[in-house]
Each structure stands twice: as C-alpha cells, then as structure tokens.
Amino acid sequence: MEELNFLAKVGDKVITQEDLEAAVASLDGYQRQQFDNEEGRKRILADMINQELFYLDAIENKMDQDEIFVNEMELVKANMLKQYAINACLAAVEITDDEKLAYYEEHKEEFKEDESASAKHILVDNEELALEIEKKINKKEISFEDAAVEYSSCPSKSNGGSLGTFGRGQMVPEFEEAVFTIPVGKVS
C-alpha cells in the first residue's frame, strides 16, 4: 500500500484516501456540498476513526456475543437472505417483448389514467384589466408568472399562478372548458 493513500490506522483497520473519498461521495447532494472541502474531509475522517474505535471497543467488550445483538443479527441476516433470494429469482426471469405486449393488451384498463391538465391563471376582478395583462404577456413585456405575482388576487400568485395538475370536474366549468380545449402554451 502506498504511504500517500494511508490516512489513519485504528487497530488493524487502515483508512485510505479512497475510503475518505468514498465516504464523501456517498453523501446526498446537500451534505456533500458541506463536506466536500478540506475541513469537511477532516471531520469525516475523524468520524471514521471514531467509528473504528467504537467497533474495537465493542469487540473488546464482547458486545458481538450479546444475546440481543446476536438475535438482531439473525433477523438482519434472514432479511438480507430473503432479498438476495428474491433478487436472484427476478434476475433469472426473462420476459419477451411479445409477452409484455400480451400482458398490456390483457390489462389495458389498469394503464389508463383519467384526463388531467396543468394550468396557471391570473385572477382579476374585471375583463378590461384581464385584456390589458394579456396584451402585456403577448408582447413579452412581462412573463405570465410575473404578471400573476403582480396582478392576481388568487393565493396561487405566489407560485406564478400555477394551479398544479387537476382532472375534469375539479374546476369551475368555464375555466375547465378553456383549459382542456385551448392549445398548450396559449394564453386565453
């Protein structure tokens, strides 16, 4: 082993630069941002050393022979073996495209989803203002989202007027008719 990779030794356990980098890489995005620097790596290395010290202490005190630990390990082993067996079984299954198509044809109803739409709106109290806002949007003087924030009286204005995704029968009929009939991206 190269001396350059060697960061720490705790008992017989050697912690290398690769071990440290693997620990940093295993963090989720936000945590990685916090620890992907020199100081963060020092903290992770210290944690890795502490974990090894706890491990050695547990072995020295024969915690691995404690009845509760042994029983827990048997449960963990049984669950891991079950998952391993399931994965091995599934890996051995081969499904042809014809079989997939046949299954789909026999179960089409299970794959159907109700019609839905996503929409944004700007709620104002008069048509004149609505038409003025529409002109500004069409002339690209203001974005739809910014116009919603500035002019809408609906709480959705904080989301740029977004109402999210909804199905038929969830909105007032006039609005719903417009949403489900006008072309995508058209302002109406």
Side-chain angles (χ1 to χ4, degrees):
M1 178 179 304
E2 285 184 37
E3 287 297 315
L4 296 176
N5 280 342
F6 185 93
L7 297 178
K9 184 174 181 184
V10 182
D12 291 333
K13 172 71 175 174
V14 173
I15 301 173
T16 66
Q17 184 69 39
E18 288 80 14
D19 296 329
L20 180 59
E21 294 307 318
V24 172
S26 72
L27 299 172
D28 67 43
Y30 178 72
Q31 286 181 317
R32 191 174 310 124
Q33 286 179 345
Q34 289 182 307
F35 291 97
D36 196 5
N37 55 58
E38 185 178 346
E39 185 60 34
R41 280 178 172 72
K42 286 179 184 177
R43 289 174 55 199
I44 291 175
L45 179 59
D47 187 54
M48 293 171 79
I49 291 168
N50 286 332
Q51 287 181 28
E52 287 304 319
L53 290 170
F54 275 109
Y55 174 76
L56 291 175
D57 182 65
I59 296 298
E60 184 178 316
N61 289 300
K62 299 188 183 331
M63 292 176 129
D64 60 327
Q65 297 171 22
D66 185 276
E67 183 180 350
I68 294 172
F69 176 78
V70 170
N71 290 339
E72 285 294 317
M73 284 306 295
E74 284 302 315
L75 289 173
V76 168
K77 181 180 175 182
N79 285 331
M80 288 185 73
L81 188 55
K82 289 173 192 175
Q83 285 302 311
Y84 184 78
I86 290 168
N87 290 339
C89 179
L90 292 175
V93 173
E94 292 184 25
I95 302 171
T96 67
D97 287 343
D98 288 341
E99 290 171 321
K100 293 175 191 175
L101 184 58
Y103 181 86
Y104 171 75
E105 291 297 335
E106 292 172 18
H107 299 89
K108 274 185 181 180
E109 292 302 313
E110 295 174 30
F111 292 94
K112 287 187 178 178
E113 292 183 12
D114 293 335
E115 185 178 23
S116 65
S118 296
K120 297 177 184 178
H121 80 147
I122 301 171
L123 185 62
V124 293
D125 60 8
N126 67 70
E127 188 175 359
E128 183 180 320
L129 179 56
L131 293 172
E132 180 184 323
I133 296 167
E134 183 180 22
K135 281 182 187 175
K136 287 182 177 186
I137 293 169
N138 288 334
K139 289 181 178 180
K140 308 235 186 277
E141 293 174 9
I142 191 169
S143 71
F144 190 97
E145 294 77 11
D146 289 342
V149 170
E150 186 174 335
Y151 297 105
S152 185
S153 61
C154 179
S156 69
K157 72 181 186 177
S158 62
N159 294 325
S162 177
L163 297 172
T165 301
F166 51 88
R168 286 195 179 269
Q170 293 182 284
M171 299 291 178
V172 295
E174 301 83 4
F175 180 74
E176 183 176 291
E177 182 61 28
V179 168
F180 283 95
T181 58
I182 63 171
V184 174
K186 171 102 172 82
V187 175
S188 171

